[in-house]
Amino acid sequence: MEHFNRKVVYFEKQSNDRLCGVHCLNSLLQAPYFDPVTLSEIGLRLDEMERQLLGNNAEHANVDDDGNYNIQVLTEALKVYGCEVRPLKPREAISLLEKHEKVEGLIFNSSTHWYSIRKIDNIWFNLNSTNSYPGPEIISDFYLSAFIQGAEDIGYTNFLVTKLPRLPDINSQVYSNLQPYQRLVKYEDIIKARDAKKIKKGEEKKEEDDKKFKAFQGKGY
């Protein structure tokens, strides 16, 4: 088992809502710092600033009626904790990793979804709020570039997040009143889920190979 000091990973699970922006930020920062009201207030404030600058006829889409936020809202929210966000060109994240630049957090966005990946104790975690149980998924260093490229291939843009704050102590009061969709996931449970997927994948491959073998059995002339 890889060495992991924190023992747990904070994760937020998305249900039938469009609050992936909230889940994305909180999972990235590893604590329930933001809620829909806070992000909506930031979005409305940005709307007002744009009205003053561009006039009332300008379109304002920092937050829609379903609670989906744009990157301006997420960027302003992360500024509260001293973070900086910048958009990346295709394959730029992979290039940074190949050059051994310090990369600790990335945000991914499609037209309908936000999620983040975060490096904690030198281990990368996929913190997508739509992940199945237990939530966080380990991304090996070997697979990281392929993971990023795969996201880009299906239409995701990504953003580099720097100057991330120190992780809260796992006994911090910030975790004292978690909601049902917010959880501290034991690292050992993440490992068990990963290993179970590997076993299942191996069994499925064996079954597929067996079917292929049986299909080729018979007489040949």
Side-chain angles (χ1 to χ4, degrees), residues 4 7-9 125 134-138 185-195:
F4 191 71
K7 310 298 183 187
V8 296
V9 176
F125 292 93
E137 295 178 350
I138 295 171
V185 183
K186 292 181 180 178
Y187 183 60
E188 59 189 57
D189 290 338
I190 300 171
I191 292 289
K192 287 177 182 176
R194 181 194 65 177
D195 293 345

Side-chain angles (χ1 to χ4, degrees), residues 151-168:
E152 292 180 356
D153 288 346
I154 60 174
Y156 278 86
T157 55
N158 47 48
F159 302 82
L160 176 68
V161 184
T162 57
K163 299 185 178 180
L164 287 162
R166 291 187 63 178
L167 295 169

Side-chain angles (χ1 to χ4, degrees), residues 2 19 46 85 134 147:
E2 300 92 335
L19 300 178
L46 290 173
V85 181
F147 179 93

Side-chain angles (χ1 to χ4, degrees), residues 51-84:
R51 286 192 192 93
Q52 293 178 8
L53 184 65
L54 303 173
N56 289 328
N57 293 328
E59 291 187 10
H60 311 287
N62 290 293
V63 55
D64 63 24
D65 293 336
D66 294 322
N68 196 25
Y69 311 96
N70 64 15
I71 188 58
Q72 284 81 8
V73 174
L74 271 64
T75 298
E76 285 298 310
L78 286 169
K79 282 181 180 178
V80 174
Y81 292 92
C83 302
E84 294 181 359

